[in-house]
Every structure is written in C-alpha cells, then in structure tokens.
Coordinates of all heavy atoms in Angstrom, one line a residue:
M819 N 4.2 -17.0 -16.6 CA 5.3 -16.2 -16.2 C 6.4 -16.1 -17.1 O 6.9 -17.1 -17.6 CB 5.8 -16.6 -14.8 CG 7.1 -15.9 -14.3 SD 7.8 -16.3 -12.7 CE 8.7 -17.8 -13.1
A820 N 6.8 -14.9 -17.5 CA 7.9 -14.7 -18.5 C 9.2 -14.7 -17.7 O 9.4 -14.0 -16.7 CB 7.7 -13.5 -19.3
Y821 N 10.3 -15.4 -18.3 CA 11.6 -15.4 -17.6 C 12.4 -14.3 -18.3 O 12.2 -13.9 -19.4 CB 12.2 -16.7 -17.8 CG 11.6 -17.8 -16.9 CD1 10.4 -18.4 -17.2 CD2 12.3 -18.3 -15.9 CE1 9.8 -19.5 -16.5 CE2 11.8 -19.3 -15.0 CZ 10.5 -19.8 -15.3 OH 10.0 -20.8 -14.6
Q822 N 13.3 -13.9 -17.5 CA 14.3 -12.8 -18.1 C 15.6 -13.7 -18.6 O 16.0 -14.5 -17.9 CB 14.8 -11.8 -17.1 CG 15.8 -10.9 -17.6 CD 16.3 -9.9 -16.4 OE1 16.0 -10.1 -15.2 NE2 17.1 -9.0 -16.8
V823 N 16.0 -13.4 -19.8 CA 17.1 -14.1 -20.3 C 18.3 -13.2 -20.3 O 18.1 -12.0 -20.9 CB 16.9 -14.5 -21.8 CG1 18.1 -15.1 -22.4 CG2 15.7 -15.5 -21.9
V824 N 19.3 -13.5 -19.7 CA 20.6 -12.7 -19.6 C 21.8 -13.6 -20.1 O 21.6 -14.8 -20.1 CB 20.9 -12.3 -18.1 CG1 19.8 -11.3 -17.7 CG2 21.1 -13.4 -17.3
W825 N 22.7 -12.9 -20.6 CA 24.0 -13.6 -21.3 C 25.1 -13.5 -20.3 O 25.4 -12.3 -19.9 CB 24.1 -13.0 -22.6 CG 23.3 -13.4 -23.7 CD1 22.0 -13.0 -23.8 CD2 23.5 -14.3 -24.8 NE1 21.3 -13.5 -24.9 CE2 22.3 -14.3 -25.5 CE3 24.6 -15.1 -25.1 CZ2 22.1 -15.2 -26.6 CZ3 24.5 -15.8 -26.2 CH2 23.3 -15.9 -27.0
S826 N 25.8 -14.6 -20.1 CA 27.1 -14.4 -19.4 C 28.1 -13.8 -20.3 O 28.0 -13.8 -21.5 CB 27.5 -15.8 -18.9 OG 28.0 -16.6 -19.9
S827 N 29.2 -13.3 -19.8 CA 30.2 -12.7 -20.7 C 30.8 -13.8 -21.5 O 31.3 -13.7 -22.7 CB 31.2 -11.9 -19.9 OG 31.8 -12.7 -18.8
K828 N 31.0 -15.0 -20.9 CA 31.5 -16.2 -21.6 C 30.7 -16.6 -22.8 O 31.2 -16.7 -23.9 CB 31.7 -17.4 -20.7 CG 31.9 -18.7 -21.3 CD 33.3 -18.8 -21.6 CE 33.6 -20.3 -22.0 NZ 33.4 -20.6 -23.4
A829 N 29.4 -16.5 -22.6 CA 28.5 -16.9 -23.7 C 28.6 -15.9 -24.9 O 28.6 -16.3 -26.2 CB 27.1 -17.2 -23.4
L830 N 28.6 -14.6 -24.6 CA 28.9 -13.7 -25.6 C 30.2 -13.7 -26.4 O 30.2 -13.6 -27.5 CB 28.8 -12.2 -24.9 CG 27.4 -11.8 -24.4 CD1 27.5 -10.4 -23.6 CD2 26.4 -11.7 -25.4
E831 N 31.3 -14.1 -25.7 CA 32.5 -14.3 -26.2 C 32.5 -15.6 -27.1 O 33.0 -15.6 -28.2 CB 33.6 -14.5 -25.2 CG 34.0 -13.2 -24.4 CD 34.9 -13.6 -23.2 OE1 35.4 -14.7 -23.1 OE2 35.1 -12.6 -22.4
D832 N 31.8 -16.6 -26.7 CA 31.6 -17.7 -27.6 C 30.9 -17.4 -28.8 O 31.3 -17.8 -29.9 CB 30.7 -18.9 -26.8 CG 31.4 -19.4 -25.6 OD1 32.6 -19.4 -25.4 OD2 30.6 -20.1 -24.8
V833 N 29.8 -16.6 -28.9 CA 29.1 -16.3 -30.1 C 30.0 -15.4 -30.9 O 30.0 -15.7 -32.1 CB 27.7 -15.6 -29.7 CG1 27.1 -15.1 -31.0 CG2 26.8 -16.5 -29.0
E834 N 30.8 -14.6 -30.4 CA 31.6 -13.7 -31.2 C 32.8 -14.7 -31.8 O 33.1 -14.4 -33.0 CB 32.4 -12.7 -30.3 CG 33.2 -11.7 -31.0 CD 33.6 -10.6 -30.2 OE1 33.0 -10.0 -29.3 OE2 34.8 -10.3 -30.3
A835 N 33.3 -15.6 -31.0 CA 34.2 -16.5 -31.7 C 33.7 -17.4 -32.7 O 34.4 -17.6 -33.8 CB 34.8 -17.3 -30.5
I836 N 32.5 -17.9 -32.5 CA 31.8 -18.7 -33.5 C 31.6 -17.9 -34.8 O 32.0 -18.2 -36.0 CB 30.6 -19.2 -33.1 CG1 30.7 -20.2 -31.9 CG2 29.5 -19.7 -34.2 CD1 29.4 -20.6 -31.1
A837 N 31.1 -16.6 -34.7 CA 30.9 -15.7 -35.9 C 32.2 -15.4 -36.6 O 32.3 -15.4 -37.8 CB 30.3 -14.3 -35.4
T838 N 33.3 -15.2 -35.8 CA 34.6 -15.0 -36.4 C 35.0 -16.1 -37.2 O 35.6 -16.0 -38.4 CB 35.6 -14.6 -35.4 OG1 35.2 -13.3 -34.7 CG2 37.0 -14.3 -36.0
Y839 N 34.9 -17.3 -36.7 CA 35.4 -18.5 -37.3 C 34.6 -18.8 -38.7 O 35.2 -19.0 -39.7 CB 35.2 -19.7 -36.3 CG 35.7 -21.0 -36.9 CD1 36.9 -21.4 -37.0 CD2 34.7 -21.9 -37.3 CE1 37.4 -22.6 -37.5 CE2 35.0 -23.1 -38.0 CZ 36.4 -23.4 -38.1 OH 36.8 -24.6 -38.6
I840 N 33.2 -18.6 -38.5 CA 32.4 -19.0 -39.7 C 32.5 -17.9 -40.8 O 32.6 -18.2 -41.9 CB 31.0 -19.0 -39.3 CG1 30.7 -20.2 -38.4 CG2 30.0 -19.2 -40.5 CD1 29.3 -20.3 -37.8
S841 N 32.8 -16.6 -40.4 CA 33.0 -15.7 -41.3 C 34.2 -15.8 -42.3 O 34.3 -15.2 -43.3 CB 33.1 -14.2 -40.7 OG 34.2 -14.0 -39.9
R842 N 35.2 -16.6 -41.9 CA 36.2 -17.0 -42.8 C 35.8 -17.5 -44.0 O 36.5 -17.4 -45.2 CB 37.3 -17.8 -42.1 CG 38.0 -17.2 -40.9 CD 38.8 -18.2 -40.2 NE 39.3 -17.7 -39.0 CZ 39.8 -18.4 -38.0 NH1 39.9 -19.7 -38.1 NH2 40.2 -17.9 -36.8
D843 N 34.7 -18.3 -44.0 CA 34.2 -19.0 -45.1 C 32.9 -18.4 -45.8 O 32.8 -18.4 -47.0 CB 33.8 -20.5 -44.9 CG 35.2 -21.2 -44.5 OD1 36.2 -21.0 -45.1 OD2 35.0 -22.1 -43.7
S844 N 32.1 -17.8 -44.9 CA 30.8 -17.3 -45.4 C 30.1 -16.3 -44.5 O 29.7 -16.5 -43.4 CB 29.8 -18.5 -45.6 OG 28.5 -18.0 -46.0
S845 N 30.1 -15.1 -44.9 CA 29.4 -14.0 -44.2 C 27.8 -14.3 -44.1 O 27.2 -14.0 -43.0 CB 29.7 -12.7 -44.7 OG 29.2 -12.6 -46.0
S846 N 27.2 -14.9 -45.1 CA 25.8 -15.0 -45.0 C 25.5 -16.2 -44.0 O 24.5 -16.2 -43.3 CB 25.2 -15.4 -46.4 OG 25.8 -16.6 -46.9
Y847 N 26.3 -17.3 -44.0 CA 26.1 -18.4 -43.1 C 26.3 -17.8 -41.6 O 25.7 -18.3 -40.8 CB 27.0 -19.6 -43.4 CG 26.7 -20.7 -42.6 CD1 25.4 -21.4 -42.6 CD2 27.7 -21.4 -41.7 CE1 25.2 -22.5 -41.8 CE2 27.4 -22.5 -40.9 CZ 26.1 -23.0 -41.0 OH 25.9 -24.1 -40.2
T848 N 27.4 -17.0 -41.5 CA 27.5 -16.3 -40.1 C 26.3 -15.7 -39.6 O 25.9 -16.0 -38.5 CB 28.7 -15.4 -40.2 OG1 29.9 -16.0 -40.8 CG2 29.0 -14.7 -38.9
A849 N 25.7 -15.0 -40.5 CA 24.5 -14.2 -40.1 C 23.4 -15.1 -39.7 O 22.7 -15.0 -38.8 CB 24.0 -13.2 -41.2
A850 N 23.3 -16.2 -40.5 CA 22.2 -17.2 -40.3 C 22.4 -17.9 -38.9 O 21.4 -18.2 -38.1 CB 22.2 -18.2 -41.4
V851 N 23.6 -18.3 -38.6 CA 24.0 -19.0 -37.4 C 23.7 -18.1 -36.1 O 23.0 -18.5 -35.3 CB 25.4 -19.6 -37.4 CG1 25.8 -20.1 -36.0 CG2 25.5 -20.7 -38.5
V852 N 24.2 -16.9 -36.3 CA 24.0 -16.0 -35.1 C 22.5 -15.7 -34.9 O 22.1 -15.7 -33.8 CB 24.8 -14.8 -35.4 CG1 24.4 -13.7 -34.3 CG2 26.3 -15.1 -35.3
Q853 N 21.8 -15.5 -36.0 CA 20.3 -15.3 -35.9 C 19.6 -16.5 -35.3 O 18.7 -16.4 -34.4 CB 19.8 -15.0 -37.3 CG 18.4 -14.5 -37.3 CD 18.1 -13.2 -36.5 OE1 18.8 -12.2 -36.6 NE2 17.3 -13.3 -35.5
K854 N 19.9 -17.7 -35.7 CA 19.4 -18.8 -35.1 C 19.7 -18.9 -33.6 O 18.7 -19.3 -32.8 CB 19.9 -20.1 -35.9 CG 19.3 -21.3 -35.3 CD 17.8 -21.5 -35.7 CE 17.4 -23.0 -35.4 NZ 15.9 -23.2 -35.7
I855 N 20.9 -18.6 -33.2 CA 21.3 -18.7 -31.8 C 20.3 -17.7 -31.0 O 19.8 -18.0 -30.0 CB 22.8 -18.4 -31.5 CG1 23.6 -19.6 -32.0 CG2 23.0 -18.1 -30.1 CD1 25.1 -19.3 -32.1
L856 N 20.2 -16.5 -31.6 CA 19.3 -15.5 -30.9 C 18.0 -15.9 -30.9 O 17.2 -15.7 -29.9 CB 19.6 -14.1 -31.7 CG 20.9 -13.5 -31.5 CD1 21.0 -12.2 -32.3 CD2 21.4 -13.2 -30.1
D857 N 17.4 -16.5 -31.9 CA 16.0 -16.9 -32.0 C 15.8 -18.0 -30.9 O 14.7 -17.9 -30.2 CB 15.6 -17.5 -33.4 CG 15.5 -16.4 -34.4 OD1 15.5 -15.1 -34.1 OD2 15.6 -16.7 -35.6
V858 N 16.6 -18.9 -30.8 CA 16.4 -20.0 -29.8 C 16.4 -19.4 -28.4 O 15.6 -19.7 -27.6 CB 17.6 -21.1 -30.0 CG1 17.7 -22.0 -28.8 CG2 17.4 -21.9 -31.3
T859 N 17.4 -18.5 -28.1 CA 17.4 -18.0 -26.8 C 16.2 -17.1 -26.5 O 15.9 -17.0 -25.2 CB 18.7 -17.1 -26.5 OG1 18.8 -16.1 -27.4 CG2 20.0 -18.1 -26.7
R860 N 15.7 -16.4 -27.5 CA 14.4 -15.6 -27.2 C 13.2 -16.5 -26.8 O 12.4 -16.0 -26.0 CB 14.1 -14.7 -28.5 CG 14.9 -13.6 -28.6 CD 14.5 -12.7 -29.8 NE 15.4 -11.8 -30.2 CZ 16.2 -11.7 -31.3 NH1 16.0 -12.7 -32.1 NH2 17.1 -10.8 -31.5
Q861 N 13.2 -17.7 -27.2 CA 12.1 -18.6 -26.9 C 12.1 -19.0 -25.4 O 11.1 -19.4 -24.8 CB 12.2 -19.9 -27.7 CG 12.0 -19.7 -29.3 CD 12.2 -20.8 -30.1 OE1 12.5 -22.0 -29.5 NE2 12.1 -20.8 -31.4
L862 N 13.3 -18.9 -24.8 CA 13.6 -19.3 -23.4 C 12.8 -18.4 -22.5 O 12.5 -18.8 -21.3 CB 15.0 -19.3 -23.1 CG 15.8 -20.4 -23.9 CD1 17.2 -20.3 -23.5 CD2 15.3 -21.7 -23.6
T863 N 12.3 -17.2 -22.9 CA 11.5 -16.3 -22.0 C 10.2 -17.0 -21.6 O 9.8 -16.9 -20.5 CB 11.3 -14.9 -22.6 OG1 10.5 -15.1 -23.8 CG2 12.6 -14.2 -22.9
D864 N 9.7 -17.7 -22.6 CA 8.3 -18.4 -22.3 C 8.5 -19.9 -21.9 O 7.6 -20.4 -21.3 CB 7.5 -18.2 -23.4 CG 7.1 -16.7 -23.6 OD1 6.8 -16.0 -22.6 OD2 7.0 -16.2 -24.8
F865 N 9.6 -20.6 -22.5 CA 9.7 -22.0 -22.4 C 11.1 -22.4 -21.9 O 11.8 -23.1 -22.6 CB 9.3 -22.6 -23.7 CG 8.0 -22.2 -24.3 CD1 7.9 -21.3 -25.4 CD2 6.8 -22.8 -23.7 CE1 6.8 -21.0 -25.8 CE2 5.6 -22.4 -24.2 CZ 5.5 -21.5 -25.3
P866 N 11.5 -22.0 -20.7 CA 12.9 -22.3 -20.3 C 13.1 -23.9 -20.1 O 14.2 -24.3 -20.3 CB 13.1 -21.6 -19.0 CG 11.7 -21.4 -18.6 CD 10.8 -21.3 -19.7
F867 N 12.1 -24.5 -19.8 CA 12.3 -26.0 -19.6 C 12.1 -26.9 -20.8 O 12.1 -28.1 -20.8 CB 11.4 -26.5 -18.6 CG 11.7 -25.9 -17.1 CD1 11.2 -24.8 -16.6 CD2 12.8 -26.5 -16.2 CE1 11.6 -24.3 -15.4 CE2 13.2 -26.1 -15.0 CZ 12.5 -24.9 -14.6
S868 N 12.1 -26.1 -22.0 CA 11.9 -26.9 -23.2 C 13.2 -27.6 -23.7 O 13.1 -28.6 -24.5 CB 11.4 -26.0 -24.4 OG 12.3 -24.9 -24.6
G869 N 14.3 -27.1 -23.1 CA 15.6 -27.7 -23.6 C 15.8 -29.0 -22.7 O 15.3 -29.3 -21.7
R870 N 16.7 -29.9 -23.3 CA 17.1 -31.0 -22.5 C 18.1 -30.8 -21.3 O 18.9 -29.7 -21.5 CB 17.6 -32.1 -23.4 CG 19.0 -31.8 -23.9 CD 19.4 -33.1 -24.8 NE 20.9 -32.9 -25.1 CZ 21.6 -33.8 -25.5 NH1 21.2 -35.1 -25.8 NH2 23.0 -33.6 -25.6
V871 N 18.0 -31.6 -20.4 CA 19.0 -31.5 -19.3 C 20.4 -31.9 -19.9 O 20.5 -32.8 -20.7 CB 18.7 -32.6 -18.3 CG1 19.8 -32.6 -17.2 CG2 17.4 -32.1 -17.5
V872 N 21.5 -31.0 -19.5 CA 22.7 -31.3 -20.0 C 23.3 -32.6 -19.5 O 23.4 -32.7 -18.2 CB 23.7 -30.1 -19.7 CG1 25.1 -30.3 -20.1 CG2 23.2 -28.8 -20.4
P873 N 23.6 -33.6 -20.5 CA 24.1 -34.9 -19.8 C 25.3 -34.8 -19.0 O 25.5 -35.6 -18.0 CB 24.4 -35.6 -21.2 CG 23.8 -34.8 -22.2 CD 23.6 -33.5 -21.8
E874 N 26.3 -33.9 -19.2 CA 27.5 -33.8 -18.4 C 27.2 -33.4 -17.0 O 27.9 -33.7 -16.1 CB 28.5 -32.8 -19.0 CG 29.0 -33.2 -20.3 CD 28.3 -32.7 -21.5 OE1 27.1 -32.4 -21.4 OE2 28.9 -32.6 -22.6
F875 N 26.1 -32.7 -16.8 CA 25.8 -32.3 -15.4 C 24.6 -33.0 -14.7 O 24.6 -33.2 -13.6 CB 25.4 -30.8 -15.3 CG 26.7 -30.0 -15.7 CD1 26.7 -29.4 -17.0 CD2 27.7 -29.9 -14.9 CE1 28.0 -28.7 -17.3 CE2 28.7 -29.1 -15.2 CZ 28.9 -28.5 -16.4
N876 N 23.6 -33.5 -15.6 CA 22.4 -34.2 -15.1 C 21.7 -33.5 -13.9 O 21.4 -34.0 -12.9 CB 22.7 -35.6 -14.7 CG 21.5 -36.5 -14.6 OD1 20.6 -36.2 -15.3 ND2 21.5 -37.4 -13.7
E877 N 21.6 -32.2 -14.2 CA 20.9 -31.3 -13.2 C 19.7 -30.5 -13.8 O 20.0 -30.0 -14.9 CB 22.0 -30.3 -12.7 CG 21.6 -29.6 -11.4 CD 22.7 -28.7 -10.9 OE1 23.8 -29.2 -10.7 OE2 22.4 -27.6 -10.6
D878 N 18.6 -30.6 -13.2 CA 17.3 -30.1 -13.9 C 17.4 -28.6 -14.3 O 16.8 -28.2 -15.2 CB 16.2 -30.4 -12.9 CG 14.9 -30.1 -13.7 OD1 14.7 -30.6 -14.8 OD2 14.0 -29.4 -13.1
T879 N 18.3 -27.9 -13.7 CA 18.3 -26.4 -13.9 C 19.3 -26.1 -14.9 O 19.4 -24.8 -15.3 CB 18.5 -25.5 -12.6 OG1 19.8 -26.0 -12.1 CG2 17.5 -25.8 -11.6
I880 N 20.2 -27.0 -15.3 CA 21.1 -26.7 -16.4 C 20.8 -27.5 -17.7 O 20.7 -28.6 -17.6 CB 22.5 -27.1 -15.9 CG1 22.9 -26.3 -14.7 CG2 23.5 -26.9 -17.1 CD1 24.3 -26.8 -14.1
R881 N 20.3 -26.7 -18.6 CA 19.8 -27.3 -19.9 C 20.5 -26.8 -21.1 O 21.2 -25.9 -21.0 CB 18.3 -26.9 -19.9 CG 17.5 -27.6 -18.7 CD 16.1 -27.3 -18.7 NE 15.4 -28.2 -17.7 CZ 14.7 -29.2 -18.1 NH1 14.5 -29.6 -19.3 NH2 14.1 -30.0 -17.1
E882 N 20.0 -27.3 -22.2 CA 20.6 -27.0 -23.4 C 19.6 -27.1 -24.6 O 18.7 -27.9 -24.7 CB 21.9 -27.8 -23.8 CG 21.5 -29.2 -24.2 CD 22.8 -30.1 -24.4 OE1 23.9 -29.4 -24.7 OE2 22.7 -31.2 -24.4
K883 N 19.8 -26.1 -25.6 CA 19.1 -26.2 -26.8 C 20.1 -26.1 -27.9 O 21.2 -25.7 -27.7 CB 18.0 -25.1 -27.0 CG 16.9 -25.4 -25.8 CD 15.8 -24.4 -26.1 CE 14.9 -24.8 -27.3 NZ 13.7 -25.5 -27.2
F884 N 19.7 -26.5 -29.1 CA 20.7 -26.6 -30.2 C 20.3 -25.5 -31.3 O 19.1 -25.3 -31.5 CB 20.7 -27.9 -30.9 CG 21.4 -29.0 -30.1 CD1 20.7 -29.6 -29.0 CD2 22.7 -29.2 -30.3 CE1 21.4 -30.5 -28.3 CE2 23.4 -30.1 -29.5 CZ 22.7 -30.8 -28.4
A885 N 21.2 -24.9 -31.8 CA 21.2 -24.1 -33.0 C 22.2 -24.5 -34.0 O 23.4 -24.5 -33.8 CB 21.4 -22.6 -32.7
Y886 N 21.7 -25.3 -35.1 CA 22.5 -26.0 -35.9 C 23.4 -26.9 -35.2 O 22.9 -27.7 -34.4 CB 23.4 -25.1 -36.9 CG 22.4 -24.1 -37.7 CD1 22.3 -22.7 -37.5 CD2 21.7 -24.5 -38.8 CE1 21.5 -21.9 -38.1 CE2 20.9 -23.8 -39.6 CZ 20.9 -22.5 -39.3 OH 20.1 -21.8 -40.1
S887 N 24.7 -26.8 -35.3 CA 25.5 -27.7 -34.5 C 26.1 -27.2 -33.3 O 27.0 -27.8 -32.7 CB 26.6 -28.3 -35.5 OG 27.4 -27.1 -35.9
Y888 N 25.5 -26.1 -32.7 CA 25.9 -25.5 -31.5 C 25.0 -25.7 -30.4 O 23.8 -25.7 -30.5 CB 26.1 -24.0 -31.9 CG 27.3 -23.7 -32.8 CD1 26.9 -23.5 -34.2 CD2 28.7 -23.7 -32.3 CE1 28.0 -23.4 -35.0 CE2 29.5 -23.6 -33.3 CZ 29.2 -23.3 -34.6 OH 30.3 -23.2 -35.5
R889 N 25.6 -25.9 -29.3 CA 24.9 -26.3 -28.0 C 24.7 -24.8 -27.3 O 25.7 -24.3 -27.0 CB 25.6 -27.2 -27.2 CG 25.8 -28.6 -27.8 CD 26.7 -29.4 -26.9 NE 26.2 -29.8 -25.6 CZ 26.8 -30.4 -24.7 NH1 28.1 -30.7 -24.9 NH2 26.2 -30.7 -23.5
I890 N 23.6 -24.5 -27.0 CA 23.4 -23.3 -26.1 C 23.1 -23.8 -24.7 O 22.0 -24.4 -24.4 CB 22.1 -22.4 -26.7 CG1 22.5 -22.1 -28.2 CG2 21.8 -21.3 -25.8 CD1 21.3 -21.6 -28.8
I891 N 24.0 -23.6 -23.8 CA 23.9 -24.1 -22.5 C 23.4 -23.0 -21.6 O 24.0 -21.8 -21.6 CB 25.3 -24.6 -21.9 CG1 26.0 -25.4 -23.0 CG2 25.1 -25.1 -20.6 CD1 25.5 -26.8 -23.2
Y892 N 22.4 -23.3 -20.7 CA 21.8 -22.1 -19.9 C 21.3 -22.8 -18.6 O 21.2 -24.0 -18.4 CB 20.6 -21.6 -20.6 CG 19.4 -22.3 -21.0 CD1 18.3 -22.5 -20.1 CD2 19.4 -23.1 -22.2 CE1 17.3 -23.3 -20.4 CE2 18.3 -23.9 -22.5 CZ 17.3 -24.1 -21.6 OH 16.1 -24.8 -21.8
Q893 N 21.3 -21.9 -17.6 CA 20.8 -22.3 -16.3 C 19.6 -21.4 -15.9 O 19.5 -20.2 -16.2 CB 21.9 -22.0 -15.3 CG 21.6 -22.4 -14.0 CD 22.7 -22.4 -12.8 OE1 23.6 -21.4 -13.0 NE2 22.6 -23.2 -12.0
I894 N 18.7 -22.2 -15.3 CA 17.5 -21.5 -14.8 C 17.6 -21.4 -13.3 O 17.8 -22.3 -12.6 CB 16.2 -22.4 -15.2 CG1 16.2 -22.8 -16.6 CG2 15.0 -21.7 -14.7 CD1 15.3 -24.0 -17.0
R895 N 17.2 -20.2 -12.9 CA 17.3 -19.8 -11.5 C 16.3 -18.8 -11.2 O 16.3 -17.7 -11.7 CB 18.8 -19.2 -11.1 CG 19.0 -19.1 -9.6 CD 20.4 -18.6 -9.2 NE 21.3 -19.6 -9.6 CZ 22.6 -19.3 -10.1 NH1 22.9 -18.0 -10.0 NH2 23.4 -20.2 -10.3
D896 N 15.3 -19.1 -10.4 CA 14.2 -18.3 -10.0 C 13.5 -18.0 -11.4 O 13.0 -18.7 -12.1 CB 14.6 -17.1 -9.2 CG 15.3 -17.5 -7.9 OD1 14.7 -18.5 -7.3 OD2 16.2 -16.9 -7.5
D897 N 13.4 -16.6 -11.7 CA 12.8 -16.1 -12.9 C 13.7 -15.7 -13.9 O 13.3 -14.9 -14.8 CB 11.7 -15.1 -12.7 CG 12.3 -13.8 -12.1 OD1 13.6 -13.9 -11.6 OD2 11.7 -12.8 -11.9
T898 N 15.1 -16.2 -13.8 CA 16.1 -15.8 -14.7 C 16.7 -16.9 -15.5 O 17.0 -18.0 -14.9 CB 17.2 -15.0 -14.0 OG1 16.6 -13.9 -13.4 CG2 18.3 -14.4 -14.9
V899 N 16.8 -16.8 -16.8 CA 17.6 -17.8 -17.5 C 19.0 -17.2 -17.9 O 18.9 -16.1 -18.6 CB 16.8 -18.2 -18.9 CG1 17.6 -19.1 -19.6 CG2 15.4 -18.9 -18.4
T900 N 20.1 -17.9 -17.5 CA 21.4 -17.3 -17.9 C 21.9 -18.2 -18.9 O 22.1 -19.4 -18.8 CB 22.3 -17.3 -16.6 OG1 21.7 -16.5 -15.7 CG2 23.6 -16.7 -16.9
I901 N 22.2 -17.5 -20.1 CA 23.0 -18.3 -21.2 C 24.4 -18.3 -20.7 O 25.0 -17.3 -20.6 CB 22.9 -17.5 -22.5 CG1 21.4 -17.1 -22.8 CG2 23.5 -18.3 -23.6 CD1 20.4 -18.3 -23.0
A902 N 24.9 -19.5 -20.5 CA 26.2 -19.7 -19.9 C 27.3 -20.0 -20.9 O 28.4 -19.5 -20.6 CB 26.2 -20.9 -18.9
A903 N 27.0 -20.6 -22.0 CA 28.0 -21.0 -23.0 C 27.3 -21.4 -24.3 O 26.1 -21.9 -24.3 CB 28.8 -22.2 -22.5
V904 N 28.0 -21.1 -25.4 CA 27.5 -21.7 -26.7 C 28.7 -22.3 -27.3 O 29.8 -21.8 -27.7 CB 27.1 -20.5 -27.6 CG1 26.6 -21.0 -28.9 CG2 25.9 -19.7 -26.9
I905 N 28.6 -23.6 -27.4 CA 29.8 -24.5 -27.9 C 29.3 -25.4 -28.9 O 28.3 -25.7 -29.2 CB 30.4 -25.3 -26.7 CG1 29.3 -26.3 -26.1 CG2 30.8 -24.5 -25.6 CD1 30.0 -27.3 -25.2
H906 N 30.4 -25.9 -29.7 CA 30.1 -26.8 -30.8 C 29.6 -28.1 -30.2 O 30.0 -28.5 -29.2 CB 31.4 -27.1 -31.6 CG 31.0 -27.7 -32.9 ND1 31.0 -29.1 -33.0 CD2 30.8 -27.3 -34.1 CE1 30.7 -29.4 -34.3 NE2 30.5 -28.3 -35.0
G907 N 28.6 -28.8 -30.9 CA 28.1 -29.9 -30.4 C 29.0 -31.1 -30.2 O 28.6 -32.0 -29.4
K908 N 30.1 -31.2 -30.8 CA 31.0 -32.3 -30.6 C 31.9 -32.1 -29.4 O 32.6 -33.0 -29.0 CB 31.9 -32.4 -31.9 CG 31.1 -33.0 -33.0 CD 32.0 -33.2 -34.2 CE 31.2 -33.8 -35.4 NZ 32.1 -34.1 -36.5
R909 N 31.8 -30.9 -28.8 CA 32.7 -30.7 -27.6 C 32.0 -31.0 -26.4 O 30.8 -30.6 -26.2 CB 33.1 -29.2 -27.7 CG 34.1 -28.8 -26.6 CD 34.5 -27.3 -26.8 NE 34.5 -26.8 -25.6 CZ 34.4 -25.5 -25.3 NH1 34.1 -24.6 -26.2 NH2 34.4 -25.0 -24.1
L910 N 32.6 -31.7 -25.5 CA 32.1 -31.9 -24.2 C 32.3 -30.8 -23.2 O 33.3 -30.1 -23.3 CB 32.8 -33.2 -23.5 CG 32.5 -34.6 -24.3 CD1 33.2 -35.6 -23.6 CD2 30.9 -34.8 -24.2
L911 N 31.3 -30.6 -22.4 CA 31.4 -29.5 -21.4 C 31.8 -30.0 -20.1 O 31.2 -30.9 -19.6 CB 29.9 -28.8 -21.4 CG 29.8 -27.7 -20.6 CD1 30.7 -26.4 -21.2 CD2 28.3 -27.3 -20.5
E912 N 32.9 -29.6 -19.7 CA 33.6 -30.1 -18.5 C 33.3 -29.2 -17.2 O 33.2 -29.6 -16.1 CB 35.0 -30.3 -18.6 CG 35.4 -31.2 -19.6 CD 36.9 -31.3 -19.9 OE1 37.8 -30.7 -19.1 OE2 37.3 -32.0 -20.8
E913 N 33.1 -28.0 -17.5 CA 32.9 -27.0 -16.4 C 31.9 -25.9 -16.9 O 31.9 -25.5 -18.0 CB 34.3 -26.4 -16.1 CG 34.3 -25.5 -14.8 CD 35.7 -25.0 -14.6 OE1 36.5 -25.9 -14.4 OE2 35.9 -23.9 -14.5
L914 N 31.1 -25.4 -16.0 CA 30.2 -24.4 -16.4 C 30.4 -23.2 -15.4 O 30.3 -23.3 -14.1 CB 28.8 -24.9 -16.2 CG 27.7 -23.9 -16.7 CD1 27.9 -23.8 -18.2 CD2 26.3 -24.5 -16.4
D915 N 30.8 -22.1 -15.9 CA 31.1 -20.9 -15.2 C 30.1 -19.7 -15.5 O 30.1 -19.3 -16.7 CB 32.5 -20.3 -15.5 CG 32.9 -19.3 -14.5 OD1 32.4 -19.2 -13.4 OD2 33.9 -18.5 -14.9
I916 N 29.2 -19.4 -14.7 CA 28.2 -18.5 -14.9 C 28.5 -17.2 -14.0 O 28.7 -17.3 -12.8 CB 26.8 -18.9 -14.5 CG1 26.5 -20.1 -15.5 CG2 25.8 -17.9 -14.7 CD1 25.2 -20.9 -15.1
D917 N 28.6 -16.1 -14.8 CA 28.9 -14.8 -14.0 C 28.0 -14.5 -13.0 O 26.8 -14.6 -13.0 CB 29.0 -13.6 -15.0 CG 29.9 -13.7 -16.0 OD1 30.9 -14.6 -16.1 OD2 29.8 -13.1 -17.0

C-alpha cells in the first residue's frame, strides 16, 4: 500500500528558512540540501516505517529520517504521512504541531 505524503505549513516554512539560511553561503549547496530533503520524503510513500522513532516522543507513529544534518520529523496516521517539521539535528524537538 502506498502512503500519501503531505506537508504541514510548519514543515514548508522550515524548509524555506533552511534554504534562505544556506543560500547566504552557497546556492549550489542550498539546492543539494533541499533536493535531499525532497528525495527522503518521497521514499516515505512506500517505506514510512523506515525512519527511527523520534526519541523526544518515543511514539511509534512519530518518526524521523535525516537529510544531511537535518531531521525530517513526520507522523504516520492511517494511509497518510504528514511531514511535521524539518529541523537541524542539534536542536531538540519539544513540541510537535501538525496542521
């Protein structure tokens, strides 16, 4: 069964902020990072449980995968995977707000 991947507005804002930040130094690296994030999330349509459980929540339906040093946090609900946030790997996630 293929899952539908949807993005929360927060996650979209996160990727935009990451791109803006990286572009100050390198537009080519910006494109590479954004492309990697998109590639990782596309894989979730077939393998949503391939990510690890997010340690801050320890809940089986809230998982994460990495793209370079960025954590892609997502929630699996029925046949939908919602990308909830994209944050730097050194940042702890205290709250998860999914639209």
Side-chain angles (χ1 to χ4, degrees):
M819 170 176 84
Y821 288 74
Q822 178 183 5
V823 176
V824 297
W825 287 72
S826 71
S827 57
K828 165 77 169 86
L830 291 172
E831 290 170 8
D832 290 343
V833 173
E834 188 174 316
I836 289 166
T838 299
Y839 179 77
I840 296 172
S841 69
R842 295 177 189 162
D843 294 324
S844 169
S845 60
S846 62
Y847 187 59
T848 301
V851 169
V852 171
Q853 187 61 53
K854 178 72 171 178
I855 290 169
L856 294 175
D857 290 345
V858 168
T859 60
R860 284 187 190 111
Q861 295 172 4
L862 297 175
T863 60
D864 295 318
F865 306 105
F867 289 94
S868 62
R870 75 174 189 169
V871 172
V872 174
E874 292 92 335
F875 295 104
N876 198 28
E877 194 173 312
D878 192 49
T879 61
I880 301 176
R881 294 180 171 256
E882 69 182 345
K883 292 192 71 99
F884 287 83
Y886 298 110
S887 58
Y888 295 96
R889 299 169 69 187
I890 302 167
I891 313 292
Y892 61 95
Q893 183 174 34
I894 306 163
R895 189 178 298 147
D896 300 322
D897 61 349
T898 303
V899 174
T900 302
I901 309 300
V904 181
I905 63 171
H906 194 275
K908 291 185 178 184
R909 191 173 133 205
L910 290 178
L911 188 63
E912 297 175 8
E913 188 176 302
L914 188 64
D915 186 25
I916 299 175
D917 301 340

